[in-house]
Amino acid sequence: MGTEHAAEDADAVRADSLAREIFTGVANKWSLLIIEVLRDRTLRFTELRAEVAGISHKMLTQTLRRLERDGVVHRTVHPTVPPRVEYRLTDAGRSLRDTVNGMCAWSRTHLDEIEASRHRFDEQQHV
């Protein structure tokens, strides 16, 4: 029985570690914007770049690769000349988008409370 609990604890630690790693990669402005822009659509690289204002070619490439590696985005290469590459959210990506939207809704719900708390905190720091 002790070995079973040890294995469950080890799995929990691995899951927590993986979650922190994924959230670190996803919880940035570019990833969140890409996830939101893709929604339920399939877009080509140039379409994504046009809709994610301010992102460089290099940053879009790096962010898409990270999202693809984490299973958030699916990349399809069509055998044309030149190759046509499309991106869409995976089921996990759509689920993550729903989670992010929930966090945004939480922020809107508690906006006044958060701003008041920040103001009180900042005032106390200047005393």
Side-chain angles (χ1 to χ4, degrees):
M1 189 89 153
T3 307
E4 183 178 317
H5 287 298
E8 289 174 10
D9 289 346
D11 286 347
V13 168
R14 282 186 22 244
D16 289 348
S17 177
L18 181 60
R20 280 191 296 277
E21 182 183 328
I22 290 170
F23 291 143
T24 298
V26 170
N28 67 65
K29 141 174 123 168
W30 298 124
S31 293
L32 294 175
L33 286 171
I34 290 168
I35 290 167
E36 184 55 33
V37 164
L38 283 173
R39 293 185 293 277
D40 293 317
R41 306 184 296 167
T42 299
L43 295 175
R44 295 177 71 176
F45 184 92
T46 52
E47 294 169 325
L48 262 171
R49 186 158 180 219
E51 290 203 35
V52 180
I55 194 166
S56 69
H57 185 281
K58 179 180 177 181
M59 183 56 67
L60 180 56
T61 299
Q62 290 173 346
T63 305
L64 285 168
R65 284 183 182 158
R66 186 172 51 251
L67 292 172
E68 182 183 6
R69 180 175 184 259
D70 287 339
V72 174
V73 168
H74 179 75
R75 178 178 181 259
T76 302
V77 179
H78 297 277
T80 59
V81 179
R84 187 182 60 171
V85 182
E86 296 176 330
Y87 298 89
R88 66 173 170 77
L89 292 179
T90 62
D91 289 342
R94 285 189 295 279
S95 175
L96 178 60
R97 186 197 65 218
D98 293 343
T99 300
V100 169
N101 288 343
M103 292 169 57
C104 291
W106 174 87
S107 298
R108 286 188 299 274
T109 299
H110 298 282
L111 180 64
D112 292 339
E113 182 182 337
I114 293 166
E115 288 179 337
S117 179
R118 286 180 169 188
H119 179 74
R120 282 190 308 274
F121 182 87
D122 291 347
E123 287 296 315
Q124 290 173 356
Q125 298 304 307
H126 294 294
V127 174

